Amino acid sequence: MLPRSPGDPLRSVETGPLRPAPCDAQLYASRASLHQRPRVPARFPVISAWAGWALWALSALIGLAPAAAVHAAWDLRGKADVQPADERGIQIIDGSFVHNVGELQLNITNWGLIGSRPTLHASYSNAPSAMWPAGSGVDYLWAAGLWVGALKNGLPYVTTGQYATELISNPDDPLDTIYRMREGEPNGLRYPEPGEDDDGDGRVNEDPRNGLDDDLDGRIDEDYAAISHQHFRCEMRDDWPALRQLRPDHEPLGLQVVQDSYQWENDDADDFVGFEFTIRNVGTEILQGVYVGLFSDCDIGPRSRANISDDDLPGFWQGRVRAPDGSWVPLSMGYMYDADGDSGRAGGYIGVMFLGHNTDPSGERAPRTARVRSFQLFPIRSPFDWSADYGDYERYYFLSNDQIDRYPTDPSQAADYAFLISTGPFTPLRPGTEIHVQAAIVVGAGLDGLQRNAAEAALTFYGAWFDRDNDPSTGLMGRETKVCMSDLGPPGPLNPIFSLDRDCGDSLVSPPILPQLVTAEDLDARGCVYIDNDCALQQLRGAQECWQDGMGAPEDSLAGCTGVGGREFHVPWLTNVAPLAPGLRLWETHDRVHVYWDDADESRKDPRRGLVDFEGYQVWRADNWTRPVGSSIANGPASRQWRLIAGFDVVDSFLFRRQLSSGETQVYKLPLGPNTGLEAIRYTPRVLREGSPEAARFADLNVLLDRIVAENPALPAGHHIRYRDELGTLTPLGERYAALQDWECCYDQLDTLFVHKKGGGFLEYVDREVHDGRWYFYSVTGTDFELDPQSGAQPLGPGLAGDPQGNFHFAIPRSQAQSAQDRARHGSNVYVVPNPATREALAEFYQVHPAPGDPTGVRIEFRNLPLARNRVRIFTLSGDLVAELWHDGTAGNGSLSWNLISGGGREITSGIYLFAVESNDTAFDRVIGRFVVVR
């Protein structure tokens, strides 16, 4: 337990260095004596032959094979390009699931790892690993993972997610992958959104997103809860046979872990990733003494620098923080920071914290705040050596030890550290039962910024309370939980209901107020009563009015209270959000980018108010992106690079009231925004125009899209299906569904090609301030207005706006492909940009940090290629073939880029080069040209 200040047991206290308990002194000394040295991954022979593929792939995940052997062109896929699960592989090892709609970008896997182990050469190691701010190239985490320990048959065993991988998805089930969800998407609604019973069967959220028919109604994933702007879900177990073969010394506890991770895009809640772990006993033994921990190795600094882990300092903080809503939020977290801030580039603090759990020794049924029981600190020399240093006995000791390790505060003690926080013990976990634990990984500017963002994470988890039964007599006096005598036992004076607290006490006042127990007079005719079931949470937050009737205080002063004003129904993981980002699609042409989106926001109701509060759209662009080390096209630019290029809103107004000194109130009617109207950007695609040739031609398009969605449950909803990447190469999705290529001739017309199309119409904005060959990101966000709580839909003024980081796509404007008529009329005009390709010209035209799949970071571009399928061959002056490139210009794209890498995989040298363009269309003769490279 941490020391508390005299006279105020809940006053904010930052613990200083603490001495380890005597029983831990020797063990702590052995940990502190570990020598520091750079991480070097263990090297083992690669299992070869197809017969050993499954074991080889799994061993690569956990560091038993050279990670470089598991390679994927992760960096070159657009954000919306998602491969089918069976093509990507069951274990996600390519870094394709990254929380990237907020400022904290974090890689997620379904084999225990949180983060991406940036110093390795694995395919997933290029993904952001708690990169903050987004796109900055500064990571705050090497690896993190869940730990679960318990006594099985009286012996201690621990299942770990990191460093040792002892939780994986089912290697034999292609459906056992990671699933993407987004708040507000079809089939993913939850209260208070209208229509939460997505399939209309009288039940809600009974079919979780996992590719299975859980409710046995013949439909798959038709009614689940999508929690946040970006919600990932996966299932893992510690007892799969393949895992036992790879880790024969691991004794499984028989656990299934459902890992849900959440992120929001709005500025108040975009500096953390929330987690909910559902831990279920799927074995046959009762698990006693259950503890849950989070292990974190936080290496902080820019990826472009070596040995960034050598100057980190850890810490632990426990206390209360005043949140923006006025409530006191209890926090208990381990943290890490860079001792010197890496010259100002890494001035953040990363914190790991528990937010709550649903089952604990007290038997409370409502979520309660989780106390960090143990903070254990480990100096690190190598994660692979470390994994072998401790067995189940030591790991269980770390989880169950009720102690906060002392930690260094002097910069001279900066080194490479990891830490473990734990909570528990939990009640015995019997076969078939489960516990729920909520947590967050948070980053903020300095310790104060970390505390503020951690408080916001806690408030988001606490969610909100609603008057769902429309009965003002429930939820009063802070009572929010309905309990009936029949639920607890037989009727009579011995029923356990009379041992429950009807109202919480208040230990913060003098003299303290004792809790009030339920009496027979409190029960209704059915033997039920509403009680205050989150007393621990209220006591920590200091909300005295929560258990009283408010003493006439206005509701906005009851910060942190639950069950006030008739609100008896709790919805966790809820925060104020702007309108959801619309489905988005880009079409790049010559010095133009067409931006299309759907109009679903215009009819979507605000989930908290139940009213439509749509105001307008904002169009954003980011350019001059240099791809910092560790960032990628898939995860977007830094937030500071986004620029608002257009805005459109409905024509409306709001009433502004001004109180004069005389007591008179003047009312002004003011425009709510620029009032541009939306008609100028309304757009009807040709494929939807009745009677048009396109409508008849593309009649089968929706059938194909429905098939793709049904066969690929991991596809993100509301986004354009990408069947080619930005270099024009078919994605695995495009290869699998060759029929998509039938419509490539009319790509400009396929602006309805969205997954799960939403809304009844479309809008278009054309950006003419762009140049061929340059890289651009685009985003469309929605805005709403502030609602008057008294009058309902009456606007009070501007409301919230979406964040462009939450909904972006990538585009490169292309030159127009030359038609046969143009060739016959004007002759060939194929040329290279820049030419000559000097260092200065390449840097001005295109230069970014190198990355996997793009080792040079520079490129030249062939333009005005024929409207056909083309082969471009590059030769030296002596006639030696340097490279052979393929280009498909049938969709109108006349540009082809080359990164100056030869067919043999080497970067070319300075010289004069020849190129030949040959087309499959006989209307185009072969074209010969030349260009100069000066390196």
Side-chain angles (χ1 to χ4, degrees), residues 674-701:
N675 282 350
T676 62
L678 302 177
E679 294 310 311
I681 56 173
R682 296 285 184 197
Y683 176 73
T684 302
R686 282 180 279 182
V687 295
L688 298 181
R689 297 173 188 170
E690 294 185 10
S692 68
E694 291 83 7
R697 180 177 181 182
F698 301 122
D700 295 332
L701 178 59

Side-chain angles (χ1 to χ4, degrees), residues 155-193:
L155 297 177
Y157 298 103
V158 178
T159 290
T160 65
Q162 285 298 296
Y163 295 121
T165 297
E166 297 168 347
L167 281 169
I168 62 171
S169 60
N170 186 355
D172 300 319
D173 186 356
L175 292 178
D176 202 359
T177 182
I178 302 180
Y179 289 83
R180 300 177 189 262
M181 291 164 275
R182 182 177 177 86
E183 181 182 7
E185 68 186 17
N187 302 336
L189 303 176
R190 65 165 181 155
Y191 189 87
E193 294 171 304

Side-chain angles (χ1 to χ4, degrees), residues 414-553:
D416 188 2
Y417 295 97
F419 65 81
L420 172 75
I421 61 171
S422 69
T423 189
F426 293 85
T427 51
L429 196 58
R430 300 179 180 277
T433 62
E434 62 189 31
I435 58 176
H436 299 260
V437 178
Q438 297 82 25
I441 295 178
V442 191
V443 181
L447 184 57
D448 290 344
L450 173 63
Q451 292 167 350
R452 286 193 301 270
N453 293 339
E456 190 63 48
L459 289 180
T460 301
F461 162 63
Y462 297 155
W465 295 78
F466 298 88
D467 185 8
R468 189 175 186 178
D469 62 4
N470 294 315
D471 184 355
S473 66
T474 59
L476 292 178
M477 299 178 66
R479 306 178 204 152
E480 76 291 313
T481 307
K482 187 176 183 179
V483 180
C484 297
M485 185 181 293
S486 58
D487 295 334
L488 304 179
L494 298 181
N495 190 284
I497 199 170
F498 299 113
S499 64
L500 300 178
D501 295 334
R502 185 192 68 157
D503 293 321
C504 292
D506 192 348
S507 61
L508 301 182
V509 298
S510 182
I513 302 175
L514 298 177
Q516 302 177 30
L517 296 179
V518 173
T519 66
E521 290 74 19
D522 298 322
L523 303 179
D524 62 17
R526 297 184 178 182
C528 300
V529 63
Y530 274 89
I531 67 171
D532 196 347
N533 202 31
D534 60 350
C535 301
L537 175 61
Q538 291 179 7
Q539 289 298 299
L540 285 169
R541 301 180 75 182
Q544 177 183 354
E545 295 86 356
C546 294
W547 63 272
Q548 297 178 332
D549 63 0
M551 305 293 290

Side-chain angles (χ1 to χ4, degrees), residues 750-769:
L750 296 186
D751 33 35
T752 57
L753 194 57
F754 294 97
V755 181
H756 300 315
K757 296 183 298 298
K758 300 177 292 182
F762 296 87
L763 304 104
E764 178 194 31
Y765 174 78
V766 182
D767 185 10
R768 295 176 171 84
E769 298 182 358

Side-chain angles (χ1 to χ4, degrees), residues 373-425:
R373 174 187 183 89
S374 174
F375 171 77
Q376 304 287 298
L377 184 61
F378 309 98
I380 300 299
R381 50 178 180 163
S382 165
F384 302 96
D385 293 340
W386 191 95
S387 296
D389 286 343
Y390 303 114
D392 281 332
Y393 278 88
E394 290 86 357
R395 293 172 182 175
Y396 188 79
Y397 172 80
F398 299 150
L399 284 170
S400 60
N401 183 23
D402 190 1
Q403 177 188 301
I404 306 300
D405 265 356
R406 60 184 176 89
Y407 50 86
T409 57
D410 192 320
S412 65
Q413 298 175 288
D416 188 2
Y417 295 97
F419 65 81
L420 172 75
I421 61 171
S422 69
T423 189

Side-chain angles (χ1 to χ4, degrees), residues 830-843 845 858-862 874-877 898 900 908-915 929-935:
V830 178
Y831 63 94
V832 173
V833 176
N835 189 9
T838 64
R839 289 185 179 181
E840 294 76 11
L842 288 169
F845 173 67
V858 297
R859 64 187 58 191
I860 63 173
E861 191 170 275
F862 298 88
I874 302 165
F875 302 90
T876 65
L877 282 179
W898 182 44
L900 305 183
I908 67 170
T909 60
S910 299
I912 301 175
Y913 294 86
L914 303 177
F915 68 86
R930 67 179 181 177
F931 61 93
V932 177
V933 175
V934 181
R935 306 304 298 271

Side-chain angles (χ1 to χ4, degrees), residues 773-800:
R774 301 295 178 89
W775 285 17
Y776 301 96
F777 292 89
Y778 287 88
S779 178
V780 177
T781 59
T783 63
D784 61 19
F785 53 79
E786 184 180 353
L787 287 167
D788 185 346
Q790 303 299 325
S791 62
Q794 176 61 45
L796 288 180
L800 299 174

